[in-house]
Amino acid sequence: MAFSHDPSGPQPAFGTGLLLTDLYQLNMLQAYLEAGMTETAVFEFFVRKLPPGRNFLMAAGLETVVDFLERAAFTAAELEWLRESDRFSKAFVDHLEGFRFTGELHALREGTICFPDEPLLRLTAPLPEAQLLETRIINLLHFQTVIASKAARMVLAAPGKTLVDFGLRRAHGAEAGLLAARASYLAGFSGSATTPAARLYGIPVYGTMAHSFIQAHDDEEAAFESFARARPEAVVLLLDTYDTLAAARTVIRLAPRLAQRGISVRGVRLDSGDLAEEARAVRRLLDRAGLGRIQIFASGGLDETLLARYQAEAVPIDGYGIGTSLTTASDAPALDCAYKLQAYAGQPKRKVSTGKATWPGRKQVFRHYGRDAVMAGDILTCDGDRQGGEALVSPVMRAGTRIAPLPGLEEARAHAAAELRRLPPALRSLAPAPAYPVEVSPALRRLAEEADRARREAGGA
Amino acid sequence: MAFSHDPSGPQPAFGTGLLLTDLYQLNMLQAYLEAGMTETAVFEFFVRKLPPGRNFLMAAGLETVVDFLERAAFTAAELEWLRESDRFSKAFVDHLEGFRFTGELHALREGTICFPDEPLLRLTAPLPEAQLLETRIINLLHFQTVIASKAARMVLAAPGKTLVDFGLRRAHGAEAGLLAARASYLAGFSGSATTPAARLYGIPVYGTMAHSFIQAHDDEEAAFESFARARPEAVVLLLDTYDTLAAARTVIRLAPRLAQRGISVRGVRLDSGDLAEEARAVRRLLDRAGLGRIQIFASGGLDETLLARYQAEAVPIDGYGIGTSLTTASDAPALDCAYKLQAYAGQPKRKVSTGKATWPGRKQVFRHYGRDAVMAGDILTCDGDRQGGEALVSPVMRAGTRIAPLPGLEEARAHAAAELRRLPPALRSLAPAPAYPVEVSPALRRLAEEADRARREAGGA
């Protein structure tokens, strides 16, 4: 239990300085500075379309982005490295030395359900700042939204079950493992196996034993007993190293002996084979032996489709450890998302490339609710256009610092849970549902036409 | 050009200390130490099966793993945090303080083509060490092998083309972006857009401009000119913000004016629409204007299937920027891989769970070549069993340090290129080929039977 949350620890989400960006950002920055193009730009981050088969997204990663923006700077070693190259002028690198984010940030709360074209984040800052920060903002926000959106499906598929992130080993690097622990907890997971997630984010961590522990011992019963004595407070024994039912009988033999020492077996874990069939057989054995209180955990190749099937079949599994499918979001490891210039120097801007046209200007989303507070439809409009309903995009940072403390992870998690309760029933299902209605307001349509006209008049194309 | 390789910079692949592990590793460690189970264990990392449609894997990540093993330690703050919890005994945390890797490492060279069941890595160390290090070893080796294997397909699909990693923004966190830059360069990419990849790994970095750069200017021609003046050494102009062919005509108008200032347009980039069609039309315009030397780069939603199609259709594209499909390995973002106990205290071990049985003991792979040095088949056998052919698994570390300097990234990249040349033609194709022959030797089959017998006799199941 008593692992403490220690957010003063190293934040791996801020492992490198501002050099962590695409080279073209530096190229463009130098061009902007030389041309004196430092007026205010507005960029918005949004998703263009849902991955196949998905019904919604859950916004995640805002706190990590705010931490990044508040600390964003080049390190001394990075500046030195840039100076030593002949790629950039001395004046430019001197300018980078003083680089800080000084702008405004607006965003959806973490845990908010959202849809294509809706801005998850809006950054308003001098153009060079807003441009340079693009790469890492997308990198942080995209991935956590990918994971929260995937985890939310698992949470919906297995109501009442304990879901634990087991995915660090196959996550794409260390930061991915940590951010996935955070994003899945936000979306409703009970915790993670990733130890430093407890320290960095205050997330409950879980851990049992591996097959190698059993294999290293000469026999399984000795392995179980040794583990139980060493970790008496959390005895979960892994059954499937050799023969699952034989191992269950071993547990039944062992349990009274451990009880005499005051150690109770809390659970058993299955990690291979037909998990449903094995769980039923193990449950029967345990129940017949009067060990109904021993819980069954399952892991190994799970995803939301399997969770939903086990739920529908009332398979007696109490909790799931979910690894690869969660932390790589294996069916949709990326979203078609963008961080796009929406206005510069007061003029609305829009890209009109084939298939990639965007809505210009600062935007707001108003959400309407129907009976039982179920989401009924959104209106995407210009910021400042009053539409009724709940405004979802709110101010977060001003002059480069947060306006108020952000909701803590527990509060964001409670918001995410409330959001899932407000989802229309068809969207809660794993089956593809008709698209949730997101209406583009007349004001926004007019602004798009104006942006196109202004560009044509300026001879832009 | 003159970006220097500065490997003394912060290694993001070692961003956190040894606390970056699954909690169960710590639980097992305490149990091992209490039971005095500190004899030598042998673990091997291997892939169980290829992702659907794939013909081979390319091993990658070894250098990163060796760096990790040489520095692996708990930080003072991590130890303090563990002490403050009531989860572990003081004696145990004191033990962790002195934790260092003291064992041996054997591995395939980075860039080596490999197949299911073949060990990419073998770690031989006291059991608690080998166990604790598991999570991060898999985390580093799995991801880089995922990326190198994906990148190698792109390299094979587009011979002679410049391939650049554009994927940092949608990579799963910062470390994923950096490791993907490294692994794709290893596999034959020309470079990356990720700036710090140049510093950390000495990888060539590439960068042009974004649509926002064009949009921020009042007109496209002004934007092109401003960029060319600021970055005269690498002028690649993005054509598809509004109207690709109109932009190409702008480039044609602008090029002589820039030439008078000594600035030559090196290339143009297309990022949307039908890239093949646009490239042909732009090529025609440029050629007619006598600008045959201006290269065409393409990006946006590319993967190896599209590269192969453009190659087959002789689409006049000179280079590709590949993002999401590369850095998330979107069709196969994870491998079915394992780090398994193969022997403990001199006894071969094997897991026999349904569908997850493994070959026991220390293993070696012998590769045979046919005509023109094309790979003809592998033999998986026990270490020490001589089989003829080329032995692929070699010693890398002894007593916790590297035996000799590892090949540099350039050397590993040359090895990867040689490996791709040795691939059988059917395996070089993107189409699924019959499985490459990997034969299990009689010696290894006998060892597996012995391991099963020994376990049964010990009453293990």
Side-chain angles (χ1 to χ4, degrees):
Chain A
M1 301 319 281
F3 280 139
S4 66
H5 181 197
D6 171 20
S8 71
Q11 293 292 330
F14 194 71
T16 68
L18 265 180
L19 193 65
L20 184 77
T21 192
D22 292 301
L23 182 60
Y24 81 169
Q25 310 287 14
L26 295 174
N27 290 343
M28 288 190 279
L29 207 62
Q30 175 157 326
Y32 285 146
L33 292 170
E34 288 182 4
M37 291 180 66
T38 57
E39 291 202 62
T40 299
V42 178
F43 280 80
E44 286 180 350
F45 176 91
F46 58 94
V47 173
R48 287 202 188 87
K49 57 177 197 288
L50 293 174
R54 297 293 189 89
N55 295 330
F56 65 88
L57 298 169
M58 176 175 280
L62 177 62
E63 190 188 19
T64 325
V65 169
V66 171
D67 283 346
F68 163 66
L69 291 176
E70 284 188 337
R71 309 193 214 181
F74 287 89
T75 68
E78 288 173 344
L79 293 165
E80 186 54 30
W81 181 77
L82 284 170
R83 273 200 188 89
E84 279 172 6
S85 82
D86 59 3
R87 292 275 194 120
F88 297 102
S89 68
K90 181 175 180 312
F92 178 66
V93 181
D94 286 348
H95 174 86
L96 295 183
E97 186 162 3
F99 185 99
R100 297 293 181 277
F101 173 59
T102 65
E104 287 177 17
L105 190 75
H106 293 71
L108 300 185
R109 284 180 65 180
E110 284 197 271
T112 299
I113 298 294
C114 57
F115 300 94
D117 289 337
E118 298 181 345
L120 277 76
L121 172 150
R122 181 204 310 151
L123 192 137
T124 309
L127 178 56
E129 286 180 30
Q131 186 68 65
L132 181 63
L133 298 164
E134 170 183 33
T135 305
R136 183 62 161 153
I137 288 175
I138 299 178
N139 177 268
L140 289 169
L141 208 55
H142 166 264
F143 177 60
Q144 292 181 76
T145 298
V146 162
I147 298 300
S149 302
K150 178 77 171 172
R153 286 165 61 81
M154 298 175 175
V155 169
L156 289 171
K161 303 295 185 182
T162 300
L163 302 183
V164 180
D165 154 35
F166 271 19
L168 172 58
R169 60 190 59 196
R170 292 203 194 113
H172 291 181
E175 189 173 88
L178 288 161
L179 294 179
R182 182 183 183 282
S184 56
Y185 185 67
L186 171 76
F189 268 51
S190 300
S192 171
T194 300
T195 318
R199 180 168 174 232
L200 294 175
Y201 306 122
I203 293 172
V205 284
Y206 291 74
T208 62
M209 59 165 60
H211 296 108
S212 54
F213 189 86
I214 312 288
Q215 291 173 275
H217 287 77
D218 278 335
D219 80 56
E220 206 165 32
E221 187 161 347
F224 287 169
E225 190 158 2
S226 165
F227 187 83
R229 288 201 204 175
R231 310 290 324 149
E233 78 293 353
V235 180
V236 177
L237 302 170
L238 181 60
L239 299 190
D240 70 317
T241 306
Y242 307 119
D243 176 321
T244 300
L245 297 188
R249 288 186 202 101
T250 302
V251 170
I252 290 165
R253 242 186 351 259
L254 186 62
R257 219 158 63 232
L258 289 174
Q260 285 172 3
R261 297 169 171 272
I263 300 172
S264 80
V265 178
R266 195 175 126 211
V268 294
R269 178 160 75 97
L270 310 170
D271 186 54
S272 57
D274 181 331
L275 294 172
E277 192 183 304
E278 303 267 41
R280 287 196 191 96
V282 168
R283 185 75 275 160
R284 269 194 303 272
L285 284 179
L286 293 174
D287 288 351
R288 257 188 250 147
L291 294 171
R293 59 172 174 73
I294 295 187
Q295 296 196 308
I296 298 179
F297 297 97
S299 55
L302 292 166
D303 62 13
E304 63 268 39
T305 308
L306 278 168
L307 296 189
R309 186 195 303 166
Y310 295 163
Q311 197 78 13
E313 294 172 1
V315 174
I317 296 176
D318 303 284
Y320 295 96
I322 306 172
T324 310
S325 71
L326 172 71
T327 55
T328 68
S330 52
D331 68 315
L335 298 169
D336 184 356
C337 65
Y339 173 90
K340 282 291 162 200
L341 181 68
Q342 309 293 358
Y344 177 62
Q347 297 303 309
K349 300 284 178 179
R350 101 189 274 213
K351 184 181 167 199
V352 296
S353 321
T354 320
K356 289 191 176 177
T358 58
W359 295 107
R362 294 173 161 84
K363 287 178 285 296
Q364 178 57 278
V365 180
F366 289 97
R367 180 156 293 168
H368 293 263
Y369 297 92
R371 251 201 331 192
D372 301 328
V374 167
M375 293 162 47
D378 292 357
I379 297 178
L380 181 67
T381 188
C382 307
D383 190 39
D385 177 38
R386 300 301 312 166
Q387 282 280 348
E390 183 189 7
L392 299 185
V393 178
S394 358
V396 178
M397 300 177 78
R398 195 183 301 135
T401 55
R402 62 191 87 194
I403 293 167
L406 288 174
L409 186 54
E410 292 299 332
E411 192 181 338
R413 187 166 182 264
H415 174 61
E419 287 283 282
L420 292 178
R421 284 192 297 272
R422 289 190 278 261
L423 262 184
L427 270 65
R428 299 171 60 91
S429 156
L430 296 184
Y436 176 83
V438 178
E439 191 187 318
V440 176
S441 77
L444 185 51
R445 291 187 187 278
R446 274 195 306 275
L447 187 71
E449 287 161 21
E450 280 166 33
D452 290 349
R453 195 176 323 118
R455 189 174 45 71
R456 279 194 304 270
E457 283 167 9
Chain B
M1 315 297 168
F3 280 138
S4 65
H5 180 196
D6 170 20
S8 70
Q11 293 291 330
F14 194 69
T16 68
L18 265 181
L19 192 65
L20 184 75
T21 192
D22 292 301
L23 180 62
Y24 81 170
Q25 311 287 15
L26 296 173
N27 290 342
M28 287 189 279
L29 207 61
Q30 176 157 328
Y32 284 145
L33 292 170
E34 287 182 6
M37 290 180 65
T38 57
E39 291 203 62
T40 299
V42 177
F43 281 80
E44 286 180 349
F45 175 90
F46 59 94
V47 173
R48 286 202 189 86
K49 57 176 196 287
L50 293 174
R54 297 294 190 88
N55 294 330
F56 65 88
L57 297 170
M58 177 176 280
L62 177 62
E63 190 188 19
T64 326
V65 169
V66 171
D67 283 347
F68 163 67
L69 291 176
E70 284 189 337
R71 308 192 213 182
F74 287 89
T75 67
E78 288 173 344
L79 293 164
E80 186 53 30
W81 180 77
L82 284 170
R83 273 199 190 92
E84 280 172 5
S85 81
D86 60 3
R87 292 272 195 121
F88 298 101
S89 68
K90 180 174 179 312
F92 178 66
V93 181
D94 287 347
H95 174 86
L96 294 183
E97 186 162 4
F99 185 98
R100 295 294 180 278
F101 174 59
T102 65
E104 287 177 17
L105 190 76
H106 294 71
L108 300 185
R109 284 181 65 179
E110 283 198 271
T112 299
I113 299 292
C114 57
F115 300 94
D117 288 337
E118 298 181 346
L120 278 77
L121 173 149
R122 182 204 311 151
L123 191 136
T124 309
L127 178 56
E129 286 180 31
Q131 186 68 63
L132 181 64
L133 298 165
E134 171 184 34
T135 305
R136 183 62 162 156
I137 288 175
I138 299 178
N139 177 268
L140 289 168
L141 207 56
H142 166 264
F143 177 60
Q144 290 181 77
T145 298
V146 161
I147 298 299
S149 302
K150 178 76 171 173
R153 285 164 63 81
M154 297 175 175
V155 169
L156 290 171
K161 305 293 185 183
T162 300
L163 301 183
V164 180
D165 154 36
F166 272 18
L168 172 59
R169 59 190 59 197
R170 292 203 193 112
H172 290 181
E175 189 172 90
L178 289 161
L179 294 179
R182 182 183 183 281
S184 56
Y185 184 67
L186 171 77
F189 268 53
S190 299
S192 170
T194 300
T195 318
R199 180 168 174 232
L200 294 175
Y201 306 121
I203 293 172
V205 284
Y206 291 74
T208 62
M209 58 165 61
H211 295 106
S212 54
F213 188 86
I214 313 288
Q215 291 172 276
H217 288 76
D218 279 335
D219 80 56
E220 207 165 32
E221 188 161 346
F224 287 169
E225 191 157 2
S226 165
F227 187 83
R229 289 200 202 174
R231 309 290 325 148
E233 78 293 351
V235 181
V236 177
L237 302 169
L238 181 59
L239 299 190
D240 70 318
T241 306
Y242 307 118
D243 176 321
T244 299
L245 296 187
R249 287 186 203 100
T250 301
V251 170
I252 290 166
R253 244 187 349 262
L254 185 62
R257 218 158 65 231
L258 289 173
Q260 284 172 6
R261 297 171 170 275
I263 300 172
S264 80
V265 178
R266 195 175 128 213
V268 294
R269 178 160 75 96
L270 311 170
D271 186 53
S272 56
D274 180 330
L275 294 172
E277 193 182 304
E278 303 268 40
R280 286 194 192 98
V282 168
R283 185 74 275 160
R284 269 195 302 272
L285 284 178
L286 293 173
D287 288 352
R288 259 189 250 146
L291 293 171
R293 60 174 172 72
I294 295 186
Q295 296 196 308
I296 298 178
F297 297 97
S299 55
L302 292 166
D303 62 13
E304 62 269 38
T305 308
L306 278 168
L307 297 189
R309 185 195 304 168
Y310 296 164
Q311 197 77 15
E313 296 172 2
V315 174
I317 296 175
D318 303 285
Y320 296 97
I322 306 171
T324 310
S325 72
L326 172 71
T327 54
T328 68
S330 52
D331 69 314
L335 298 169
D336 184 356
C337 65
Y339 172 91
K340 284 290 163 202
L341 181 68
Q342 309 292 359
Y344 177 62
Q347 297 304 309
K349 300 285 177 178
R350 96 188 279 211
K351 184 180 167 199
V352 295
S353 321
T354 320
K356 289 190 176 178
T358 58
W359 294 106
R362 296 171 160 83
K363 287 178 286 294
Q364 178 57 279
V365 180
F366 289 96
R367 181 156 291 169
H368 292 263
Y369 298 92
R371 253 208 319 201
D372 301 328
V374 167
M375 293 161 47
D378 293 356
I379 297 177
L380 181 67
T381 187
C382 307
D383 190 38
D385 177 37
R386 299 303 311 168
Q387 282 282 347
E390 183 190 7
L392 300 185
V393 178
S394 0
V396 177
M397 300 177 79
R398 195 182 303 134
T401 55
R402 62 192 86 193
I403 294 167
L406 288 174
L409 186 54
E410 292 299 332
E411 192 181 337
R413 188 167 180 263
H415 174 62
E419 287 284 282
L420 292 178
R421 285 192 297 273
R422 288 190 278 262
L423 262 184
L427 271 64
R428 300 171 60 89
S429 156
L430 296 184
Y436 176 83
V438 177
E439 192 186 319
V440 175
S441 75
L444 185 52
R445 292 186 188 280
R446 274 195 305 274
L447 188 70
E449 286 161 21
E450 281 166 31
D452 290 350
R453 195 177 324 118
R455 190 174 45 71
R456 279 193 304 271
E457 283 167 10

